[in-house]
Amino acid sequence: GYYADRWKTLLIPKSSPTKAYFDTSDQDPFCMYNYLLDIITWNKSIRRGFIKVKITDYAGNTVESEMNSEASTFQQYKRVKILTGFYRDLDKISKISLTFSTKTLVGPKHKLRILQMRLKSLNNPER
């Protein structure tokens, strides 16, 4: 790993494309709770876009994920795994909502039909 204050000088000069992933603290204000969203879609046509996840617990508390910066490609019966992050962790989830967006202002709106979905906590894998 690289210290956060020196990552650019170490990674950017490399000739190959570089992606940097940063660990976050488990205490406020810098905590991030990561989940792996595993989706199999049912659409016959290929869909390309972004997914935002909203989770709600039994007490009615809701938290929304950050939008991924890269679009995912969804094909019929193909599994797609997406890393999602939340600024707050909810213990007992009662409801999961997904919003699919292509981020285009012009053109038809498309739906993403979900055949199977799993949301797994990476911070608490026993859930």
Side-chain angles (χ1 to χ4, degrees):
Y2 301 97
Y3 289 99
D5 62 338
R6 292 184 277 162
W7 75 271
K8 284 186 180 182
T9 58
L10 293 169
L11 296 178
I12 291 179
K14 303 219 184 273
S15 60
S16 63
T18 303
K19 285 187 178 184
Y21 299 93
F22 299 100
D23 287 337
T24 57
S25 168
D26 61 353
Q27 297 179 10
D28 284 331
F30 303 109
C31 55
M32 179 67 86
Y33 300 95
N34 297 300
Y35 285 77
L36 184 64
L37 179 64
D38 189 352
I39 295 177
I40 298 175
T41 57
W42 192 32
N43 291 64
K44 290 182 181 177
S45 302
I46 294 174
R47 300 279 186 253
R48 187 160 169 72
F50 304 87
I51 296 237
K52 200 174 238 192
V53 181
K54 190 188 317 184
I55 54 177
T56 306
D57 66 6
Y58 286 97
N61 300 310
T62 300
V63 64
E64 197 167 318
S65 70
E66 293 300 304
M67 180 85 66
N68 293 327
S69 59
E70 293 182 25
S72 298
T73 302
F74 301 95
Q75 300 177 37
Q76 189 176 33
Y77 307 129
K78 299 284 183 183
R79 174 172 274 137
V80 176
K81 293 182 180 187
I82 302 169
L83 180 66
T84 60
F86 298 90
Y87 287 113
R88 229 173 82 209
D89 194 22
L90 300 180
D91 188 23
K92 295 182 179 179
I93 297 172
S94 66
K95 181 175 153 183
I96 301 170
S97 303
L98 302 179
T99 304
F100 174 69
S101 171
T102 57
K103 285 195 173 179
T104 58
L105 299 174
V106 181
K109 297 197 183 245
H110 295 289
K111 290 182 180 180
L112 189 65
R113 297 173 191 265
I114 306 290
L115 185 63
Q116 181 180 335
M117 176 187 74
R118 177 179 293 158
L119 186 66
K120 181 178 180 180
S121 172
L122 297 179
N123 297 82
N124 301 295
E126 70 278 359
R127 286 193 205 160

